[in-house]
Every structure is written in C-alpha cells, then in structure tokens.
Amino acid sequence: MLYTYTDGLRRERVAQLFHDKFGSEPTLWARAPGRVDLMGSHTDYNLGYVLTLPISRDTWIAARPNASRMVRLYSANLNEDASFSLDEQEKSVSKRWRNYVQGVASVLQAEGLRTDGFDAVIHSTVPLESGLSSSAALECASAVVFQAIGGWTLAPDAMARLCQRAENEFVGVRCGVLDQYSSCLGEEECALLLDCRNLSTRPVPIARGMQVAICDTRAPRQLAAAEYALRRSQCEEAAARLGIRALRDITMAELSARANQLPVEVRKRSLFIVAENQRVLDLEAALRSGNRAKIGQLLAESFVGARDLFEICSPPMIAMMRAMLEAPGVIGARQAGAGFGGCMVALIEQDRAETFRAAVAANYRRATGTHPEVYVVAAAPGAGLLPEMVRA
Ligand code: ADP
Ligand code: MG
C-alpha cells in the first residue's frame, strides 16, 4: 500500500493552527516517519542486522522563515509553545521536547551549516514515548526544515548520524542510530535492512497484499532500562568469553560447539542473538517473495526466543501475542522494540486489516482488562519535504 502525502484534513488543521499561532501561512512542510522493527531484537548493539520499517505515522512540521535568530515552536501534540535563540546553547529543563529541535540546530552549527530562525507547528501521528521513535521523527523533520531554509543539502545517512548526535549529545539520551536511519532512509513500499556494523542499508520490498499492524500492550515499561543494560552487558560478556568482537561474528554452528564454555544465562542470550540475526536475513527473502508460511514461522521463532532465551517478554506481551495470533488475517506476530511491554508487531493480510484490528482489541481486552492501541501502517518513504505542499 502506498503512503499518501496528501491528507487534506490534516493539512488544513495544521495550517489553521499555524495561522492561529503566527498569523500567517506556512511556506514549507517537512515530514519524517516513525518506525517499527520487523525483525532483529537487540541485534543492533551486537553489530548485527535489523529489519526496520519506516511507517506511515509521521511527524509534520509546517514552517515559515521569520528573518530572525529565533526558532518559535508550537507542538500540537502537547499543546505547548517553546522557543529558543540559535545563538544560545542553553537547554530547556521545563520543556524538554524543545531540546530535540535545538539539539539538531546545535549539531548542524557545529558542522558549519547555516541555520536560520523560523516559526513552526509540529504535528505528529507517531504516538509519543511508545517505542515508535517519535523522537527521531521530530529530529529528522527538524533537520529537513533547517536544510530547506539554510540552502544546503545533506545526504540522508549523514543527516541520520547528525540527528543521532543531537539526541546523544544535546538531549542526553543514549540511543543507537537505528531510529534516525529508519526515519531518513526509507523508500516507498519497502522495509529497510540495516547492517549495524558498517551502517550500510538496503531497501526490502514487501510483497503485495500484506500490511503491518502495530499492537501496543500499553503496559508500563519500568524495568526496561535496567534489564536492557543487563542484556547488553551479558552479550558483551559472551563476546569476550568467545574471543570475538561482537556476537555478530559467530555462526550458529560455531556457537553450538562452544556453548558449554558460557554460563547458562549468557549462553541463552547468545543463542537468541545469533539466531535472531540470521532470522533478519531469512525474513528479507520471505518478505520479498511473500512466503507467508515462512514469515509466520520466523516471527513465531523470534517471539519464542525472546520469551525463553532472551527473557524480555512480560505477561502483557504474552497475552498480546495470543490476541494477535487468534485474530483473522494474521500472517505472523512477534515483539517489537526492546521488550518488557510496549509495542508488538504483526504482518497481516491487507484486506483483513479492519477485522484484525477489532479482533485484537477484543481478545486483548478480554485477557487483560486493558484496551490496546492497534495501528495499521504502511511503509513510508524517508524524511523530506512534502512535495506538493512546497510554496514559493
Ligand atoms: P519515542 O522516540 O519512542 O517516541 P522518546 O522518549 O525517545 O520516545 O521520545 C519522546 C519524546 O520526544 C517526547 O517525550 C517529546 O519530548 C519528544 N517529542 C516527540 N514528538 C514530539 C511532538 N510531536 N511534539 C513535542 N515533542 C515531541
Ligand atoms: Mg526515541
């Protein structure tokens, strides 16, 4: 299914907000997508592969240069204003969200790229703080605005790395580059295979007739940060004991032969990562050819490994897995993101999307008492200007 740039209602609403706030019309519109991973849990810091999908839920920034050194922002999602001067590096404590845009300005300036003031309305259909990378979408859309006004051009991968730096260095969140790569490098109707060792990417066309549904357990993720750090250190320990740089560097046959050299937990973590890495490559082939049986099998194996070997599945995730597998139109389902609650993902038959959504909602609510969010999404192209909305 094609991502459509022209959502008339959304455009009208955002233009109206811009008019209410700034008393004029925006002159340029930037967009950048959120993302979900289709395969590759925790493979990124093991320098392996990830199959990520830039999604049709995205962040739009409607902007107008204001001939000053001030950036004036309004977030429609938060119903909040914020502004900063391009000549100051002071972060905001009370309005942390401003720092994502200011951080992008700061790294662009450090690269010697011209930045100019503008007024802007931000409107996102990526749910915030749900693991679908609303932060990267905001950074990448901001970079597109600075680029359009500044009159320079960055390659998409360079833009992704600068946006990651903004989040690492200015916002102060230690994230990998996956989110920003996903937001900047997507292609129409394709997922993106990222090699986290050398940061090369290739588009993976998804066979016709299939669609992706993101199912949010809405379970709190309190344990996630500590457990994430623990998994990371266990993977590092495995590599050190095996005498390799990263778990990326060992085949399943070699690992099986040497698995008894590892403590039980570290062994289980390694077995998951090495298999998961291979599943990314296997899923690439299955998505291209539309081999539904294979897709279902790979996603199921990923979930079982995440539950039994990597141990990142909480009870709400197990309930959601069942809810997805029992819904009509499902091809396959698994966890997404780092685990411990948050979102999960299913590949579904495009013509059953609405029945799938309703059934997942009913099944999950029956099992847990919680109403889940289900987002049916299409593959979206990478960050850029909304072409038919550019005005002189
Ligand atoms: P995720 O990237 O998974 O959505 P993060 O915690 O990394 O979660 O980033 C979410 C933060 O990014 C929000 O709390 C907010 O500060 C900022 N943000 C993202 N999108 C917007 C938006 N449309 N308006 C204002 N702030 C936003
Ligand atoms: Mg984020």
Side-chain angles (χ1 to χ4, degrees), residues 100 133-136 167 173 175 179:
Y100 291 87
S133 299
S134 72
S135 59
E167 186 154 344
V173 174
C175 58
D179 296 356

Side-chain angles (χ1 to χ4, degrees), residues 75 77-78 97 100 122 124 127-135 138:
S75 165
N77 300 83
L78 303 179
W97 64 272
Y100 291 87
I122 300 165
S124 189
L128 274 56
E129 296 169 16
S130 295
L132 303 180
S133 299
S134 72
S135 59
L138 177 55

